[in-house]
Amino acid sequence: MSVTSRYRDAWEGFWREAPAGQGAVFWDAAPAVTARVHLALFEPHLTAPGLPLVDLGCGNGTQTRFLADRYPRVVGADLSAAALDHARLADPAGQASYRLFDAAERAEAEMLHAELGDANVYVRGVLHQCEEGDRQALVDGIATLVGDRGRAFLVEPSEAAGVVLRGLAREPGGPPAKLAPVFRHGIAPGEVADAAVPGYLRAAGLVVLAEGGLPLVTAERGADGSAIELPSRWVVVRRG
C-alpha cells in the first residue's frame, strides 16, 4: 500500500506555496518547545543512541537540524519533494541528509532499513495527517525502520485537539493565517481516535515502553499572542 496520488499532490501544493523560514507554517514551532521537550522523554529509552535517527515527516527540516546537532547521523524523510527543497535550502551545511520517502510503502521502508540498518525514529504529528487507509501501513513502516535495536517516539494530537481545530476553523474571520493553507490544500488534520492507536502499534509488532500526554505547540498564535497548543499523546515503542 502507498499513499494516494491525491494526498501526495496535496502536500506538494502546500509546500510549494509555503513561505521559507522557521515558523512559517502551522506546526513549525521552535525546537525548544518541540523536539527538545520530546527528546527528554525519548532519550531515557534509547539503548543504542548511536544508531541513525530518522525524522519521519520532516517537512522543512526545522526539527531535523536540531536533531542533527545531537546525533551522528540524521535523515529527514518526507513524502513531499517540495518540503525537502525547503529543508535542504535551510541546511546549506548539510547537517542532515534528506530523503523522499513514503513510509506507507513497504518496499521503500525495507529499502531504507537495508541502507541504514536499525534506526531510532522521531515522528511528530504524522499519523493523524494520514488518510485512514494508510495509517496501519505507516506504523508498519516505522516498525521496519526500528528493527531489533531501534526505538520510535511518536507524538500525535489527541481527540481533544479536534475540538481546538474546529474552533479555530469557525472563527469569524476564518482559520488563522497559518492554519488556513492546510485546509485549503485538502490536508486538514484527520481525527485518529485515541483508542485506535494502541491497535495500530500492536498490529505492527510494537511494544509500548512509555506514554503520556503533553501539549503540542504550534507556530500559530491566538488573539492574546500566546502560542496555540493542541492536546496530544506521546508514546515510545520498540519491536516486540
Side-chain angles (χ1 to χ4, degrees), residues 172-199:
K178 293 177 183 177
L179 182 59
V182 179
F183 290 110
R184 186 168 64 252
H185 285 280
I187 50 176
E191 294 186 10
V192 181
D194 295 344
V197 176

Short mmCIF file of all heavy atoms in Angstrom, two decimals, residues 172-199:
data_model
loop_
_atom_site.label_atom_id
_atom_site.label_comp_id
_atom_site.label_asym_id
_atom_site.label_seq_id
_atom_site.Cartn_x
_atom_site.Cartn_y
_atom_site.Cartn_z
N PRO A 172 -14.78 33.91 13.29
CA PRO A 172 -15.49 34.81 12.37
C PRO A 172 -14.70 35.17 11.13
O PRO A 172 -15.24 35.27 10.02
CB PRO A 172 -15.77 36.03 13.24
CG PRO A 172 -15.82 35.50 14.64
CD PRO A 172 -14.81 34.39 14.68
N GLY A 173 -13.41 35.37 11.29
CA GLY A 173 -12.58 35.72 10.14
C GLY A 173 -12.00 34.54 9.41
O GLY A 173 -11.15 34.70 8.52
N GLY A 174 -12.44 33.34 9.75
CA GLY A 174 -11.90 32.13 9.15
C GLY A 174 -10.72 31.61 9.96
O GLY A 174 -10.34 32.20 10.98
N PRO A 175 -10.14 30.50 9.52
CA PRO A 175 -9.00 29.93 10.27
C PRO A 175 -7.83 30.91 10.34
O PRO A 175 -7.67 31.77 9.46
CB PRO A 175 -8.62 28.69 9.43
CG PRO A 175 -9.82 28.42 8.59
CD PRO A 175 -10.47 29.74 8.32
N PRO A 176 -6.99 30.79 11.34
CA PRO A 176 -5.78 31.63 11.41
C PRO A 176 -4.94 31.47 10.15
O PRO A 176 -5.01 30.46 9.44
CB PRO A 176 -5.05 31.08 12.64
CG PRO A 176 -6.11 30.44 13.46
CD PRO A 176 -7.10 29.88 12.49
N ALA A 177 -4.11 32.47 9.90
CA ALA A 177 -3.37 32.54 8.64
C ALA A 177 -2.51 31.31 8.36
O ALA A 177 -2.39 30.87 7.22
CB ALA A 177 -2.50 33.80 8.62
N LYS A 178 -1.90 30.74 9.39
CA LYS A 178 -1.02 29.60 9.18
C LYS A 178 -1.77 28.27 9.10
O LYS A 178 -1.23 27.29 8.60
CB LYS A 178 0.04 29.53 10.28
CG LYS A 178 1.02 30.70 10.24
CD LYS A 178 2.02 30.64 11.38
CE LYS A 178 2.93 31.86 11.35
NZ LYS A 178 3.88 31.87 12.50
N LEU A 179 -3.00 28.26 9.59
CA LEU A 179 -3.81 27.04 9.51
C LEU A 179 -4.61 26.99 8.22
O LEU A 179 -4.86 25.91 7.68
CB LEU A 179 -4.74 26.95 10.72
CG LEU A 179 -5.63 25.72 10.82
CD1 LEU A 179 -4.79 24.43 10.86
CD2 LEU A 179 -6.52 25.80 12.06
N ALA A 180 -4.99 28.13 7.70
CA ALA A 180 -5.84 28.18 6.51
C ALA A 180 -5.28 27.40 5.32
O ALA A 180 -6.02 26.68 4.65
CB ALA A 180 -6.11 29.64 6.13
N PRO A 181 -3.96 27.49 5.01
CA PRO A 181 -3.46 26.73 3.86
C PRO A 181 -3.58 25.22 4.02
O PRO A 181 -3.71 24.50 3.03
CB PRO A 181 -1.97 27.13 3.79
CG PRO A 181 -1.90 28.44 4.49
CD PRO A 181 -2.92 28.36 5.59
N VAL A 182 -3.55 24.72 5.25
CA VAL A 182 -3.70 23.29 5.48
C VAL A 182 -5.08 22.84 5.00
O VAL A 182 -5.21 21.86 4.26
CB VAL A 182 -3.51 22.96 6.98
CG1 VAL A 182 -3.69 21.47 7.23
CG2 VAL A 182 -2.13 23.42 7.46
N PHE A 183 -6.11 23.59 5.39
CA PHE A 183 -7.46 23.27 4.94
C PHE A 183 -7.61 23.49 3.43
O PHE A 183 -8.23 22.70 2.73
CB PHE A 183 -8.48 24.12 5.69
CG PHE A 183 -8.62 23.76 7.14
CD1 PHE A 183 -8.16 24.61 8.13
CD2 PHE A 183 -9.22 22.57 7.52
CE1 PHE A 183 -8.30 24.29 9.47
CE2 PHE A 183 -9.35 22.23 8.86
CZ PHE A 183 -8.89 23.09 9.84
N ARG A 184 -7.03 24.59 2.94
CA ARG A 184 -7.20 24.93 1.52
C ARG A 184 -6.63 23.87 0.60
O ARG A 184 -7.16 23.62 -0.49
CB ARG A 184 -6.53 26.29 1.26
CG ARG A 184 -6.77 26.80 -0.16
CD ARG A 184 -6.36 28.25 -0.33
NE ARG A 184 -4.94 28.47 -0.14
CZ ARG A 184 -4.40 29.09 0.91
NH1 ARG A 184 -5.16 29.51 1.88
NH2 ARG A 184 -3.09 29.25 1.00
N HIS A 185 -5.56 23.22 1.01
CA HIS A 185 -4.95 22.19 0.17
C HIS A 185 -5.52 20.79 0.41
O HIS A 185 -5.02 19.81 -0.15
CB HIS A 185 -3.43 22.18 0.37
CG HIS A 185 -2.74 23.34 -0.28
ND1 HIS A 185 -2.45 23.36 -1.63
CD2 HIS A 185 -2.32 24.52 0.21
CE1 HIS A 185 -1.85 24.50 -1.94
NE2 HIS A 185 -1.76 25.23 -0.84
N GLY A 186 -6.54 20.71 1.22
CA GLY A 186 -7.21 19.43 1.41
C GLY A 186 -6.45 18.46 2.28
O GLY A 186 -6.63 17.24 2.17
N ILE A 187 -5.60 18.98 3.16
CA ILE A 187 -4.85 18.10 4.07
C ILE A 187 -5.19 18.44 5.51
O ILE A 187 -4.34 18.38 6.40
CB ILE A 187 -3.33 18.17 3.83
CG1 ILE A 187 -2.84 19.63 3.80
CG2 ILE A 187 -2.96 17.46 2.56
CD1 ILE A 187 -1.33 19.75 3.66
N ALA A 188 -6.44 18.82 5.72
CA ALA A 188 -6.88 19.12 7.08
C ALA A 188 -6.60 17.92 7.98
O ALA A 188 -6.85 16.78 7.59
CB ALA A 188 -8.37 19.44 7.08
N PRO A 189 -6.07 18.18 9.17
CA PRO A 189 -5.75 17.06 10.07
C PRO A 189 -6.93 16.15 10.30
O PRO A 189 -8.03 16.59 10.61
CB PRO A 189 -5.33 17.78 11.36
CG PRO A 189 -4.86 19.12 10.91
CD PRO A 189 -5.73 19.49 9.75
N GLY A 190 -6.71 14.87 10.12
CA GLY A 190 -7.75 13.90 10.39
C GLY A 190 -7.84 13.61 11.87
O GLY A 190 -6.95 13.99 12.65
N GLU A 191 -8.89 12.98 12.27
CA GLU A 191 -9.08 12.67 13.68
C GLU A 191 -8.84 11.18 13.90
O GLU A 191 -9.61 10.35 13.42
CB GLU A 191 -10.48 13.07 14.13
CG GLU A 191 -10.70 14.58 14.09
CD GLU A 191 -12.03 14.98 14.68
OE1 GLU A 191 -12.69 14.11 15.30
OE2 GLU A 191 -12.42 16.14 14.53
N VAL A 192 -7.75 10.86 14.58
CA VAL A 192 -7.45 9.48 14.93
C VAL A 192 -7.94 9.26 16.35
O VAL A 192 -7.51 9.96 17.27
CB VAL A 192 -5.94 9.20 14.84
CG1 VAL A 192 -5.65 7.75 15.19
CG2 VAL A 192 -5.42 9.52 13.44
N ALA A 193 -8.82 8.30 16.53
CA ALA A 193 -9.32 8.02 17.88
C ALA A 193 -8.19 7.59 18.78
O ALA A 193 -7.33 6.79 18.38
CB ALA A 193 -10.39 6.94 17.81
N ASP A 194 -8.16 8.12 19.99
CA ASP A 194 -7.11 7.76 20.94
C ASP A 194 -7.04 6.25 21.12
O ASP A 194 -5.96 5.66 21.22
CB ASP A 194 -7.37 8.43 22.28
CG ASP A 194 -7.27 9.95 22.22
OD1 ASP A 194 -6.72 10.46 21.23
OD2 ASP A 194 -7.74 10.61 23.17
N ALA A 195 -8.20 5.61 21.16
CA ALA A 195 -8.25 4.17 21.39
C ALA A 195 -7.74 3.35 20.21
O ALA A 195 -7.43 2.16 20.37
CB ALA A 195 -9.68 3.75 21.72
N ALA A 196 -7.64 3.97 19.01
CA ALA A 196 -7.20 3.24 17.83
C ALA A 196 -5.69 3.08 17.77
O ALA A 196 -5.18 2.12 17.18
CB ALA A 196 -7.70 3.93 16.56
N VAL A 197 -4.97 4.00 18.38
CA VAL A 197 -3.51 4.00 18.24
C VAL A 197 -2.87 2.73 18.81
O VAL A 197 -2.01 2.12 18.16
CB VAL A 197 -2.91 5.27 18.88
CG1 VAL A 197 -1.38 5.23 18.84
CG2 VAL A 197 -3.42 6.51 18.15
N PRO A 198 -3.24 2.26 20.01
CA PRO A 198 -2.64 1.02 20.51
C PRO A 198 -2.85 -0.16 19.57
O PRO A 198 -1.97 -1.03 19.45
CB PRO A 198 -3.36 0.79 21.85
CG PRO A 198 -3.78 2.14 22.29
CD PRO A 198 -4.14 2.86 21.02
N GLY A 199 -3.97 -0.20 18.87
CA GLY A 199 -4.22 -1.28 17.92
C GLY A 199 -3.27 -1.24 16.75
O GLY A 199 -2.76 -2.28 16.30
#
